[in-house]
Amino acid sequence: MGKKKSEKKGEKKDKKDKKQKKEKKQKKDKKNKKSKTEDDSLDESLSSSEEATPDSSVLASNQEKSSISSGTKHSNDENASDKKELTTKRYNKELLRLQIELVKLQEWVKKENLRVVVLFEGRDAAGKGGVIKRIMQRLNPRSARVVALGVPTEREKTQWYFQRYVPHLPAAGEMVLFDRSWYNRAGVERVMGFCTEDEYWEFMRSCPEFEAMLIRSGIILIKYWFSVSDEEQEKRFMARLEDRTKRWKLSPMDVEARSRWVEYSKAKDVMMKYTDTKLSPWYVVDADVKKKARLNCITHLLSLIPYEDLTPERIELPPRQENEGYIRPPFEEQTFVPEVY
């Protein structure tokens, strides 16, 4: 009886081994077949690419034209890495890293008593506010602030044009970010007719001198222009119409500007011609992809101001004071916020 059981057990084991061998063989054949197919397709791809390869001189000419039309100064390898997909996870990781560096920069500005002014200009819905928000997110608001002036008052309209901006310039150890600036005169005021021809050209003449004066006084002046395509701007306008929390961003002026795209383009070109100087250059940010624009702008800003890491050493907290007879007043005597949640 025991002998029969052992024979049956042996037969089952043999069948199991044969089955496993058969499965392994099938997997191996399948793998070889797949590898062969890939090799064949690779050969076909190489042969077709060789047939389609143009003359070397033509290729060089095309590459040169492509480089000139795109205006890029990077190599092909750098362009390929730039086009790498920016996932949300990678974006958040890079943003946090850059914000930590911004905190280091702010500490350095305070220690060295530097004065920093950063101007953010560009089309409506170009993403200026989004970049400013990410820059300010982890900074100390006591020494870094945003200036976003409204429509000038009747009194301010009679002042020297730059006068309303001067009080907002930084003192030692401060950083000021202008969400739109004195360049309103070169853009919206010019296109919408809010200034005279004489006032406009006087601005063009005096603006480079004004900025040179600021720089000579020791202020670090950085100017960014956020460039966005008309298709992307239209998409963002539509998104603002749909989102109630963003609808306030669409002012009547923005709606009017939408129908004057070409006029704004011409005004921007003239502005660049007169105010993009060696002493105070404009830095153009490609803002069609918001997340990339934010990271690129912050990275560039950090590269313009040399700084050192002044992160303080970890401190030991002292023990809390002992309760020596203190009696807290009854809760009933205090007015609490209702617990709705």
Side-chain angles (χ1 to χ4, degrees), residues 16 35 37 57 64 70 88 118 120 137 150 175-176 220 244 256 298 305 316 323:
K16 189 176 181 182
S35 177
T37 305
S57 61
E64 186 178 354
S70 63
T88 301
V118 188
F120 293 87
Q137 192 170 359
M175 298 171 63
V176 177
I220 299 172
R244 292 183 180 181
E256 179 64 25
I298 297 174
I305 308 174
E316 293 293 330
N323 184 356

Side-chain angles (χ1 to χ4, degrees), residues 186-292:
V188 62
E189 291 191 18
R190 171 65 168 174
V191 175
M192 296 298 179
F194 296 152
C195 65
T196 65
E197 195 75 10
D198 290 341
E199 288 172 335
Y200 171 74
W201 287 111
E202 175 57 30
F203 171 81
M204 287 300 183
R205 284 190 294 269
S206 59
C207 183
E209 297 175 3
F210 173 69
E211 292 177 354
M213 182 173 62
L214 296 181
I215 294 169
R216 284 197 304 269
S217 73
I219 289 177
I220 299 172
L221 178 62
I222 302 169
K223 304 187 298 188
Y224 286 112
W225 176 270
F226 282 73
S227 178
V228 64
S229 64
D230 51 350
E231 295 87 0
E232 182 61 27
Q233 187 190 47
E234 182 72 10
K235 190 190 300 181
R236 293 178 188 178
F237 276 171
M238 293 299 105
R240 288 181 177 183
L241 287 174
E242 297 298 325
D243 189 344
R244 292 183 180 181
T245 63
K246 293 182 178 180
R247 207 170 290 171
W248 61 270
K249 292 184 177 183
L250 273 180
S251 66
M253 198 64 62
D254 297 332
V255 176
E256 179 64 25
R258 182 171 171 268
S259 62
R260 303 196 185 193
W261 176 272
V262 178
E263 291 180 54
Y264 269 97
S265 296
K266 291 178 181 178
K268 172 243 181 182
D269 293 340
V270 176
M271 179 194 77
M272 289 287 185
K273 179 181 177 181
Y274 283 89
T275 62
D276 185 17
T277 63
K278 289 184 179 179
L279 185 63
S280 179
W282 278 104
Y283 298 105
V284 181
V285 180
D286 184 353
D288 267 5
V289 181
K290 286 183 179 181
K291 290 182 179 179
K292 288 186 178 182

Side-chain angles (χ1 to χ4, degrees), residues 57-85:
S57 61
V58 176
L59 182 62
S61 176
N62 289 341
Q63 286 177 341
E64 186 178 354
K65 288 177 183 177
S66 174
S67 176
I68 293 172
S69 64
S70 63
T72 181
K73 298 179 183 178
H74 299 295
S75 65
N76 291 336
D77 291 338
E78 288 173 336
N79 286 337
S81 63
D82 288 344
K83 292 177 181 177
K84 183 180 177 182
E85 183 184 358

Side-chain angles (χ1 to χ4, degrees), residues 174-193:
E174 293 181 347
M175 298 171 63
V176 177
L177 313 181
F178 279 88
D179 187 353
R180 295 204 180 277
S181 62
W182 45 85
Y183 281 98
N184 279 338
R185 174 140 293 179
V188 62
E189 291 191 18
R190 171 65 168 174
V191 175
M192 296 298 179

Side-chain angles (χ1 to χ4, degrees), residues 24-38:
K24 283 182 181 179
K25 189 178 179 182
Q26 287 175 346
K27 286 181 180 178
K28 190 175 181 182
D29 292 342
K30 193 176 180 181
K31 187 177 181 182
N32 291 336
K33 189 176 180 181
K34 185 180 179 182
S35 177
K36 187 178 179 183
T37 305
E38 288 176 351

Side-chain angles (χ1 to χ4, degrees), residues 92-108 134-140 295 298 302 307-312:
N92 289 331
K93 182 179 179 182
E94 284 299 301
L95 180 60
L96 178 60
R97 181 183 66 80
L98 292 172
Q99 287 177 332
I100 291 172
E101 293 302 313
L102 284 170
V103 172
K104 296 177 185 178
L105 172 63
Q106 184 181 32
E107 289 302 310
W108 181 256
R134 270 69 185 185
I135 292 174
M136 290 293 300
Q137 192 170 359
R138 300 179 190 277
L139 296 184
N140 185 343
L295 298 183
I298 297 174
L302 290 167
Y307 64 96
E308 295 178 12
D309 186 357
L310 299 178
T311 304

Side-chain angles (χ1 to χ4, degrees), residues 106-122:
Q106 184 181 32
E107 289 302 310
W108 181 256
V109 168
K110 288 164 62 178
K111 179 181 179 296
E112 295 297 312
N113 289 327
L114 302 179
R115 291 175 291 158
V116 180
V117 172
V118 188
L119 309 186
F120 293 87
E121 293 286 349

